[in-house]
Amino acid sequence: MREIANAPLSANAPWIVMKFGGTSVATVARWRNILELAATRRAEGARVLIVVSALSGITDGLKQLCTHTESKRRSEAAAALADRHHALLADMALTMPETLGARLADLADLAETGAGPLGELAWQARVQAHGELMSSALGAAFLSANGLPTAWLDARDCLASVALPNQNERTRLLSAMVEPHYDAELSARLAAQGEVFITQGFIARDEEGRTVLLGRGGSDTSAAYLGALLRAQRVEIWTDVAGMFSANPRQVAGARLLQRLDYEEAQEIASTGAKVLHPRCLSPLREPRVPLLIKDTNRPELEGTAIGPEVREHAPSIKAISARKGITLISMESVGMWQQVGFLADVFDAFKRHGLSVDLIGSAETNVTVSLDPTENLLDSDAIAALAADLARVCRVKVIAPCAAITLVGRGMRSMLHKLSGVLAEFGQLRVHLISQSSNNLNITFVVDEDVVDDMLPRLHELLIGAGALRTDDSLVFGPSWQALYGAGEQVLPPAQWWQGDIPKLLALAQERTPRYVYNVPTIRAQARRLKALSAVDRVHFAVKANTHPGILKALAEEGMAFECVSPGELAAVMAAVPESAPILFTPNFAARRDFVAALKTRATIGIDALHPIEHWGDLFAGRDIMLRVDLGRGLGHHEKVRTGGTGSKFGVPIEHIDRFLTLAHEAGARVIGLHAHLGSGILDAAHWGEVYSQLAALAERIGSISILDIGGGLGVPSHPGETPLDMTALDRVLKSVRQAYPQFQVWMEPGRFLVADAGVLLARVTQEKEKGASVRYLGIDTGMNSLIRPALYDAWHDIANISRFGEAATTMYQVVGPICESGDVLGSDRRLPESKEDDVILIGQAGAYGAVMSSRYNLRDEADEVLLP
Ligand code: LLP
């Protein structure tokens, strides 16, 4: 036996309520865990109240016992249940404690005599209460015997149920409610008695002193009631997972642990699908503002989910996406009676008569559609048919099932709608039966056919992260992914950024001068090697528009890259930096005749993306091999402004003009040897290049003279933490499979961003700070959209870090802004950083692509210089 020595507690030491469920109390090993955890809380200076469920399986056994009509069968059942407790007692090496003995004897009596004068329901409640009565008695003995003196407390002495007008005898006894009010007397009485207590979940007493049960999720609810009654410092729910996640981890392995939620959000997530917490247990805690913590019994070191009052300083973010299946929709069309008075009243009256509770409502002038949730209703086909028959008297009825409700949850949903276009587009491709936006501004729900949900959820989760709507960058709120915490095999860790290992060097560079771009050449080389490894690709061109630093061009030439240019300036930069042997491609858009004249003097292969040059300047191309850029009719990419296909975009020759182009080329004496397409920038789906490749190949077969297919660039790099990177193995596989079908063509690519984005950072220094309103804090730095225009132009997300305080806790929410006289001069909104001071060095990540090359001298601010780290 271990002695736990602690300083005595003062009379007003805070309470911590800890709840453990059925599996957590079923073995000695698990009880050792409880001992450890409770002892730690006590050692922290708190009074501890442990709330337990029945050993796993016991409640079901007790319910079973209640169904037997013969006394003998009931007694046998009671004896079997007693044996489970004897066995655990033996494992604990304990002799029978008096409290447990009394409970076992009581159960044997109840079983033998049956309901009798108690009445059936009251007897059932008494019998079923024994699961918790016995487990808690066992626990008190074990904890006390192992150095933590623990008093057994009868929950029925603390929790009194209230009779509600809509309850009948059954719900009053088997699904009772408690209205817990702070009970200073109870707290004082217990404080006088001891330091650590154990009591039962799930049970209470009614006004007549009878034992009542709290229904589904009862033990969580008991813990909440007791937490409220004692005004506990917190309630801890110990379970098998670390807490609530941003999606159901069984459907979305990348779902993130939600480390902080307010009561309303947590309630919303619990009621729209998450099983980890019963929604009923939050409301008792809200008013007394007692926080609730969900923790993993097996991994107590994990942070868990902390639920408490609203945290003001938060980026508006979607917190979770949840799905409920088995939803039935009832669509009711009023027959020709537009806005008829009383129509809704008639309709809802029918639902009431059939005892069906309505969840979502959508209405139009002549139609009302509502959803019925299976967790709130007993939805068998008879019940629905009876309702439909009844409704048919006042309207035309259509039943739509099975459906699923997909809900996005987050405080301030309306302020995020503009970020949801990608998500809405996804729903746009499906039959959406109903959209409902909650009046509390906490959720938006889409009702779709049930069978699409499983495929859709992981995709939606990813889209929400990519759109910056699910702010996984906020590490105070979003913890690790389920996969990282519990996934089997390889751990999916976010790739470490090179700059995190180079802080002193970066600080020294910033000391010399800011603003300043710094590029890490090994990162660029590594990316080049990943591209070279694509076995189906014959030639990779670096799209130099992403970064024209001569040192980078030189390094990429050494890695065997070719170069793609779009202007005489880029051609000159490349030729000055790389050896003669490096191939060059010139693929301009709306270039002047003189640009082609200049390019034709170089070794570049020329690409044309319009009829005009070949029609009007055909003489230039006589005897030349040229490439033709086609518009495949659609664009893709991270933002509308970087999608380069379709009639809305100025790039490429539309498919219907290809024949004309070929004729003109033939007349000019030029040979069209290659087809080229580039649909946009920042694409993360490997399948895309397979589609472009096969489309071009099919066109090329028809044309005949083609030997090269340039399938473009656009290879994306994730910018938001948690976004899934482009799968290079899948890309290799996709390209190889198309190549098998069309082995006659050479394949070229021309990525820009992929090669250089992660290699570059922009360093700047804090100039000023400013507060506005209660919680808006601006952090000014010495450069802005003049150096990096991507956030202003595309809402692009760049990681921001205060490297003068690297490793310090990011506690303050900032709007990071530059010195340019434009409201759009914001480099990052709602960024959590350490409390920052003037002259601190701020690093803006992923600035190697389209950073310096797109900078300007707007406001006549000096441009950032560029430094290479070899
Ligand atoms: N090929 C052509 C014909 C292009 O127009 C582009 C980019 C690329 C290749 C290279 O695309 P990448 O692999 O880098 O995605 N400024 C925007 C990107 C615009 C890209 C314009 N064209 C941004 O910062 O996101």
Side-chain angles (χ1 to χ4, degrees):
M1 183 169 54
R2 192 174 73 127
E3 257 325 305
I4 302 171
N6 282 312
L9 292 177
S10 69
N12 55 1
W15 283 95
I16 291 179
V17 177
M18 310 175 78
K19 180 255 161 177
F20 296 90
T23 43
S24 306
V25 296
T27 62
V28 193
R30 296 298 205 113
W31 274 104
R32 280 202 199 96
N33 235 334
I34 298 179
L35 172 69
E36 204 60 46
L37 293 167
T40 318
R41 296 298 179 264
R42 165 61 191 85
E44 284 164 14
R47 225 173 275 285
V48 180
L49 174 56
I50 301 165
V51 179
V52 289
S53 301
L55 311 194
S56 53
I58 296 292
T59 304
D60 284 344
L62 290 165
K63 279 191 188 156
Q64 188 68 35
L65 183 161
C66 292
T67 62
H68 296 311
T69 46
E70 280 172 57
S71 163
K72 184 162 161 289
R73 301 271 316 267
R74 290 195 301 265
S75 295
E76 282 166 11
L81 295 171
D83 283 349
R84 275 276 308 277
H85 293 82
H86 284 127
L88 184 51
L89 203 60
D91 288 350
M92 290 172 166
L94 294 177
T95 51
M96 175 63 72
E98 198 192 317
T99 28
L100 180 58
R103 303 287 84 77
L104 292 172
D106 189 19
L107 178 62
D109 269 1
L110 285 164
E112 194 188 332
T113 43
L118 269 179
E120 178 66 29
L121 291 170
W123 172 77
Q124 278 183 24
R126 274 279 294 279
V127 170
Q128 288 177 37
H130 273 76
E132 280 71 12
L133 288 165
M134 295 185 295
S135 64
S136 55
L138 200 71
F142 176 79
L143 298 173
S144 300
N146 286 280
L148 189 70
T150 302
W152 186 82
L153 187 67
D154 191 327
R156 294 167 297 187
D157 294 339
C158 309
L159 298 178
S161 70
V162 287
L164 300 173
N166 62 350
Q167 284 180 319
N168 54 26
E169 180 74 353
R170 165 174 286 274
T171 48
R172 215 166 280 159
L173 280 159
L174 303 182
S175 189
M177 302 282 276
V178 173
E179 275 174 11
H181 299 291
Y182 176 49
D183 187 343
E185 191 269 326
L186 172 71
S187 174
R189 181 158 53 84
L190 293 179
Q193 264 176 49
E195 298 178 341
V196 180
F197 298 82
I198 187 165
T199 193
Q200 309 77 43
F202 191 53
I203 70 172
R205 68 158 195 280
D206 71 1
E207 288 146 335
E208 300 163 37
R210 297 181 299 177
T211 301
V212 299
L213 306 180
L214 299 177
R216 267 189 326 123
S219 292
D220 287 357
T221 315
S222 292
Y225 287 154
L226 290 161
L229 219 57
L230 296 170
R231 281 276 155 90
Q233 184 179 6
R234 66 177 178 271
V235 171
E236 300 178 351
I237 305 283
W238 289 86
T239 176
D240 293 341
V241 281
M244 288 181 148
F245 281 79
S246 57
N248 180 347
R250 269 186 293 275
Q251 288 163 313
V252 183
R256 304 284 292 257
L257 177 65
L258 293 163
Q259 294 178 157
R260 259 189 213 194
L261 290 170
D262 65 48
Y263 297 117
E264 287 79 9
E265 288 173 325
Q267 169 94 42
E268 207 74 28
I269 296 171
S271 359
T272 55
K275 296 279 183 298
V276 56
L277 193 68
H278 195 272
R280 208 163 113 181
C281 72
L282 286 166
S283 66
L285 300 175
R286 198 177 307 180
E287 198 263 325
R289 297 168 85 82
V290 174
L292 180 136
L293 190 60
I294 306 174
K295 297 278 284 181
D296 183 345
T297 322
N298 301 311
R299 309 268 303 271
E301 75 285 1
L302 299 179
E303 190 141 343
T305 298
I307 300 167
E310 187 185 338
V311 189
R312 257 232 246 101
E313 242 200 18
H314 259 188
S317 171
I318 306 262
K319 299 287 165 53
I321 171 164
S322 52
R324 281 169 294 157
K325 291 188 180 174
I327 304 278
T328 298
L329 280 186
I330 313 279
S331 154
M332 294 158 287
E333 197 81 28
S334 81
V335 225
M337 282 167 278
W338 188 71
Q339 286 190 347
Q340 177 200 354
V341 172
F343 174 62
L344 284 181
D346 289 347
V347 158
F348 285 114
D349 191 50
F351 285 88
K352 184 177 172 188
R353 277 201 306 279
H354 290 268
L356 292 170
S357 149
V358 165
D359 183 23
L360 307 165
I361 305 177
S363 72
E365 275 163 3
T366 60
N367 175 286
V368 186
T369 299
V370 304
S371 75
L372 301 173
D373 186 328
T375 55
E376 305 296 329
N377 293 294
L378 280 171
L379 288 181
D380 54 45
S381 50
D382 289 352
I384 305 278
L387 170 78
D390 214 2
L391 284 169
R393 289 190 283 122
V394 284
C395 58
R396 240 192 327 258
V397 188
K398 197 161 97 195
V399 177
I400 309 167
C403 295
I406 297 182
T407 302
L408 311 182
V409 180
R411 177 168 293 287
M413 185 59 70
R414 282 168 213 154
S415 68
M416 288 177 265
L417 288 176
H418 67 285
K419 293 190 178 166
L420 297 184
S421 60
V423 173
L424 295 174
E426 192 79 358
F427 280 110
Q429 324 217 341
L430 303 168
R431 260 185 357 139
V432 179
H433 301 293
L434 180 73
I435 299 180
S436 143
Q437 205 256 150
S438 68
S439 46
N440 59 10
N441 202 5
L442 275 165
N443 85 45
I444 179 165
T445 297
F446 301 82
V447 181
V448 294
D449 290 335
E450 194 182 78
D451 55 1
V452 301
V453 168
D454 290 339
D455 287 343
M456 208 175 162
L457 277 193
R459 215 178 131 56
L460 285 177
H461 192 262
E462 184 87 27
L463 278 173
L464 288 170
I465 295 177
L470 205 143
R471 291 284 307 267
T472 44
D473 61 289
D474 192 344
S475 55
L476 223 59
V477 175
F478 292 93
S481 70
W482 186 87
Q483 203 166 27
L485 291 173
Y486 301 104
E490 94 195 74
Q491 290 261 314
V492 189
L493 294 173
Q497 298 279 358
W498 64 268
W499 56 262
Q500 294 176 353
D502 259 345
I503 303 286
K505 200 181 295 170
L506 292 170
L507 286 173
L509 285 168
Q511 201 57 43
E512 288 166 21
R513 193 203 140 125
T514 53
R516 178 162 241 190
Y517 276 99
V518 182
Y519 307 117
N520 178 266
V521 178
T523 303
I524 299 174
R525 290 185 188 273
Q527 289 295 83
R529 286 170 199 172
R530 294 176 71 198
L531 291 170
K532 287 291 276 187
L534 291 171
S535 56
V537 180
D538 300 285
R539 195 194 273 182
V540 182
H541 303 77
F542 172 47
V544 306
K545 60 178 83 58
N547 193 316
T548 46
H549 191 287
I552 291 179
L553 299 178
K554 192 162 161 291
L556 283 173
E558 284 163 13
E559 295 299 330
M561 296 284 119
F563 297 88
E564 187 242 5
C565 304
V566 294
S567 69
E570 286 188 357
L571 282 171
V574 167
M575 287 187 303
V578 309
E580 280 280 324
S581 53
I584 303 178
L585 182 61
F586 182 65
T587 58
N589 171 250
F590 282 97
R593 179 184 166 110
R594 64 174 178 277
D595 292 352
F596 283 101
V597 171
L600 285 162
K601 293 193 185 122
T602 71
R603 64 178 186 275
T605 305
I606 309 291
I608 299 180
D609 89 330
L611 294 181
H612 191 109
I614 197 78
E615 188 168 2
H616 298 283
W617 319 322
D619 54 316
L620 293 184
F621 306 104
R624 293 285 192 154
D625 288 347
I626 56 171
M627 306 272 293
L628 162 61
R629 177 168 178 183
V630 295
D631 175 2
L632 295 176
R634 62 186 197 283
L636 274 175
H638 69 80
H639 187 270
E640 182 196 332
K641 293 199 173 104
V642 301
R643 293 176 201 147
T644 53
T647 46
S649 129
K650 66 184 177 126
F651 299 92
V653 170
I655 289 182
E656 65 269 23
H657 289 171
I658 291 181
D659 285 341
R660 173 132 177 80
F661 186 95
L662 294 172
T663 310
L664 290 166
H666 182 72
E667 284 167 14
R671 251 171 39 96
V672 182
I673 56 153
L675 288 184
H676 170 209
H678 170 83
L679 271 55
S681 189
I683 301 166
L684 290 166
D685 176 10
H688 160 74
W689 292 273
E691 285 158 19
V692 170
Y693 185 177
S694 38
Q695 263 181 294
L696 288 183
L699 285 172
E701 279 199 324
R702 195 169 62 76
I703 294 169
S705 62
I706 308 290
S707 58
I708 301 160
L709 303 178
D710 178 350
I711 59 175
L715 289 77
V717 191
S719 50
H720 296 272
E723 231 178 323
T724 313
L726 179 60
D727 181 342
M728 295 301 279
T729 316
L731 180 59
D732 192 41
R733 192 169 347 107
V734 162
L735 297 180
K736 273 203 283 214
S737 81
V738 185
R739 182 146 197 155
Q740 258 171 12
Y742 300 100
Q744 69 271 41
F745 302 114
Q746 267 197 60
V747 178
W748 292 2
M749 289 188 95
E750 45 182 36
R753 178 173 173 74
F754 185 86
L755 281 159
V756 288
D758 280 331
V761 298
L762 172 61
L763 300 179
R765 244 168 320 165
V766 173
T767 53
Q768 301 185 24
E769 228 213 291
K770 181 186 284 182
E771 285 186 31
K772 280 198 176 181
S775 60
V776 180
R777 291 181 67 178
Y778 289 93
L779 189 69
I781 58 175
D782 61 4
T783 195
M785 64 192 288
N786 53 321
S787 289
L788 184 66
I789 201 174
R790 300 188 77 252
L793 196 56
Y794 316 119
D795 273 330
W797 200 94
H798 288 258
D799 196 8
I800 298 183
N802 180 334
I803 58 168
S804 298
R805 299 174 196 282
F806 190 65
E808 286 180 28
T811 49
T812 310
M813 187 66 86
Y814 285 113
Q815 315 302 317
V816 182
V817 299
I820 300 297
C821 296
E822 295 268 346
S823 304
D825 187 25
V826 178
L827 292 156
S829 319
D830 300 317
R831 298 308 179 90
R832 215 180 284 281
L833 297 174
E835 187 74 31
S836 303
K837 295 269 170 324
E838 186 181 335
D839 280 336
D840 279 359
V841 178
I842 300 294
L843 174 145
I844 299 166
Q846 214 170 51
Y850 307 105
V853 286
M854 290 179 81
S855 66
S856 75
R857 294 204 59 225
Y858 185 35
N859 285 183
L860 292 187
R861 292 240 166 232
D862 287 341
E863 285 183 59
D865 74 345
E866 297 173 276
V867 180
L868 277 195
L869 298 179

